[in-house]
Amino acid sequence: MKIMNDLSNSDPEVADTLLRELKRQEEGIELIPSENYTSRAVLQSIGSVFTNKYSEGYPKKRYYGGNEIVDEVEIIAIDRAKELFGCEHVNVQPYSGSPANQAVFFALLNLKDKFIGFSLTSGGHLTHGSHVNFSGKNYACVSYDVNKETEILDMENIRKLALEEKPKMIISGLTAYPREIDFKAFQEIAEEVNAYHLADISHIAGLVVGDAHSSPVPHADVITTTTHKSLRGPRGAIIMCKIEDRLHDLHHPNSKKNLSQLIDSAVFPGLQGGPHDHTTAAKAVAFGEALKPEFKDYAKQIVKNAKSLADDLMSLDIKLVTNGTDNHLVLIDLRPEGLTGKGGPIQNALDDAGITVNKNTVPYEPSSPFHPSGLRLGTPAITTRGMKESEMTVIAEGLAKVIKSKGDPELSVTVKESILELTKQFPLYPGLSILK
Ligand code: DSN
């Protein structure tokens, strides 16, 4: 299939980077848990004429002319998201996950208000209260952490913290935690202390809609998710929420807005200008794909693959945080290998072997986030390629060889040969190329 002839003719320099990136993605094993490969239909929607349009406002309530068709595509995205997640209200305009979380803070909290979120080093996200992020700088964050022994979230400790601190919001969600999140328990705590509950399901949204992880939708007041990652759509985000504000009289007594109106006005005009309509179109396409029955098989296979990868790694004497996984994510603890603080060099050695991972902190990290002692892996992308349990064994062997050799460059070369053999059998975008 010929694509991008125009780009190739008009800008060979950029076309060349694209071609090489396609080759890198095709030849390598992608294990970054937040990455995935979208369908061609999603790619085509992002690269479409919708990028030419401005459409500040919401469907039927815009500030510019010429929005009849944009309204249609935004309504399709909204309707599909509601059907997919079963939520009462959804805003499909957030540019990405961090702006979506920022909009929730802006809607529900005043500057300096207190909230509790999962510590970044043990598996939370920057926007859950890191001191270098808007969430930690503008609001008073108290972090909760995993149990030091089990490395698992202890809901009774989180409850005690909430009772002590009386936060206005509690965030549940993860970026590097390999276990199931108990959204119902988080909601019960939030209700007990009159706090809002924001569930950030960016990593696990694909699992949630594929019935491979419990859903926060019946529980949480507000739910944010990116639309890429395990959901396999374009880079972007959505915010779902209940319509009624159960804490209106306590936290917003002077507002005439319900919860969904608070969220919508925080997104626009509070934080964003014109939505990215090309991304909205691609979100609609991705939601349509996720509504198909085969997406459930995909989501379940992601978890099967992660469990299989975890078991294979442990049988090769690699230590995992929490000794396993319930979701799409596996976190290797490099400390028993004598590689404390050496996540970076091992990540680089794995790059040379054609396996892409990211260095990551482990709970109660003894080194630093820039020189962490773990590696974060995930299976959404390789599952999209059609890989199953037997391929996990080959990948685990490659990972273990590089780690046990402490990043020996010669071993990376050998492993790369087996990775190339493997990826050849699972073409990424068959026939896709950039031709002059
Ligand atoms: N960058 C995303 C991740 O890798 O988890 C979160 O923003």
Side-chain angles (χ1 to χ4, degrees):
M1 185 173 112
K2 289 187 183 183
I3 61 151
M4 298 185 192
N5 292 7
D6 295 331
L7 174 63
S8 184
N9 288 332
S10 72
D11 195 333
E13 198 178 357
V14 171
D16 179 57
T17 63
L18 245 158
L19 190 57
R20 284 185 291 117
E21 176 59 13
L22 176 60
K23 185 172 152 64
R24 188 195 69 81
Q25 290 189 16
E26 183 135 82
E27 291 185 347
I29 288 290
E30 182 53 72
L31 289 181
I32 292 179
S34 47
E35 296 187 13
N36 210 332
Y37 307 110
T38 70
S39 68
R40 291 181 192 205
V42 166
L43 287 181
Q44 283 163 12
S45 311
I46 303 165
S48 72
V49 292
F50 277 122
T51 199
N52 299 334
K53 193 69 196 97
Y54 256 124
S55 54
E56 279 91 338
Y58 289 102
K60 316 283 186 209
K61 285 174 282 180
R62 305 283 185 186
Y63 289 79
Y64 294 14
N67 272 307
E68 306 77 24
I69 301 166
V70 161
D71 277 0
E72 274 180 48
V73 82
E74 188 165 331
I75 289 168
I76 295 171
I78 289 169
D79 288 347
R80 288 184 184 174
K82 280 188 182 169
E83 187 183 346
L84 187 59
F85 288 94
C87 58
E88 290 178 24
H89 178 80
V90 62
N91 185 310
V92 298
Q93 294 192 1
Y95 298 145
S96 205
S98 294
N101 284 349
Q102 204 174 350
V104 179
F105 277 83
F106 195 46
L108 302 183
L109 271 57
N110 296 314
L111 290 178
K112 307 290 175 211
D113 275 351
K114 191 183 280 184
F115 73 100
I116 67 175
F118 193 3
S119 111
L120 178 66
T121 48
S122 294
H125 186 248
L126 273 173
T127 54
H128 300 178
S130 161
H131 69 282
V132 295
N133 183 260
F134 81 90
S135 55
K137 282 183 188 283
N138 295 334
Y139 303 90
C141 174
V142 181
S143 295
Y144 58 85
D145 217 317
V146 293
N147 176 294
K148 208 166 183 173
E149 300 306 314
T150 62
E151 300 174 323
I152 287 179
L153 287 172
D154 177 338
M155 295 313 297
E156 194 42 43
N157 277 348
I158 295 170
R159 176 170 175 266
K160 275 189 204 140
L161 184 70
L163 286 167
E164 265 164 41
E165 299 291 344
K166 301 186 178 32
K168 195 165 172 184
M169 183 164 79
I170 298 177
I171 306 182
S172 61
L174 61 103
T175 63
Y177 179 67
R179 294 294 174 180
E180 176 114 8
I181 300 274
D182 188 346
F183 293 115
K184 184 165 179 281
F186 269 104
Q187 181 69 16
E188 283 165 4
I189 297 169
E191 288 182 11
E192 190 175 358
V193 301
N194 286 327
Y196 290 105
H197 174 198
L198 162 60
D200 177 349
I201 59 166
S202 295
H203 263 257
I204 55 170
L207 307 187
V208 167
V209 301
D211 298 336
H213 191 293
S214 64
S215 169
V217 172
H219 312 294
D221 300 286
V222 185
I223 298 157
T224 52
T225 181
T226 47
T227 46
H228 38 292
K229 302 194 176 86
S230 58
L231 198 51
R232 210 164 57 180
R235 297 295 284 261
I238 59 174
I239 305 177
M240 295 168 269
C241 65
K242 304 215 185 288
I243 291 172
E244 290 312 315
D245 179 358
R246 76 182 157 85
L247 297 170
H248 174 274
D249 294 349
L250 186 66
H251 292 321
H252 301 102
N254 300 322
S255 171
K256 292 199 169 58
K257 292 180 174 157
N258 62 30
L259 187 58
S260 59
Q261 290 164 331
L262 286 173
I263 294 291
D264 283 351
S265 55
V267 173
F268 175 84
L271 280 172
Q272 297 190 172
H276 292 176
D277 300 313
H278 55 307
T279 309
T280 305
K283 288 175 187 175
V285 171
F287 300 152
E289 291 172 356
L291 279 164
K292 293 190 176 142
E294 52 266 34
F295 196 86
K296 290 200 194 309
D297 300 334
Y298 166 63
K300 291 188 178 110
Q301 190 63 45
I302 291 177
V303 176
K304 280 190 209 161
N305 282 351
K307 285 183 187 291
S308 175
L309 185 64
D311 288 345
D312 289 337
L313 284 166
M314 288 189 292
S315 71
L316 293 164
D317 198 27
I318 299 287
K319 171 81 178 79
L320 303 183
V321 170
T322 79
N323 298 315
T325 181
D326 297 328
N327 57 25
H328 64 304
L329 196 149
V330 173
L331 193 56
I332 295 179
D333 185 345
L334 294 169
R335 290 174 296 179
E337 305 298 328
L339 292 167
T340 302
K342 294 283 191 288
I346 300 299
Q347 172 191 299
N348 295 342
L350 285 165
D351 261 340
D352 293 340
I355 302 178
T356 313
V357 303
N358 73 279
K359 62 182 179 183
N360 209 92
T361 49
V362 293
Y364 301 93
E365 173 64 56
S367 183
S368 74
F370 204 69
H371 299 287
S373 308
L375 296 176
R376 191 180 66 145
L377 324 174
T379 52
I382 49 177
T383 307
T384 293
R385 286 185 90 150
M387 295 187 190
K388 296 217 163 97
E389 286 85 339
S390 54
E391 285 77 38
M392 298 308 116
T393 307
V394 179
I395 296 169
E397 282 166 5
L399 284 160
K401 276 186 190 155
V402 172
I403 292 167
K404 295 283 176 193
S405 78
K406 302 198 182 339
D408 176 356
E410 275 182 31
L411 250 173
S412 291
V413 173
T414 321
V415 170
K416 186 159 191 172
E417 284 164 18
S418 63
I419 293 301
L420 275 173
E421 272 311 302
L422 180 63
T423 53
K424 251 189 239 161
Q425 298 162 43
F426 296 89
L428 186 50
Y429 293 107
L432 194 65
S433 64
I434 300 168
L435 298 172
K436 288 199 176 179

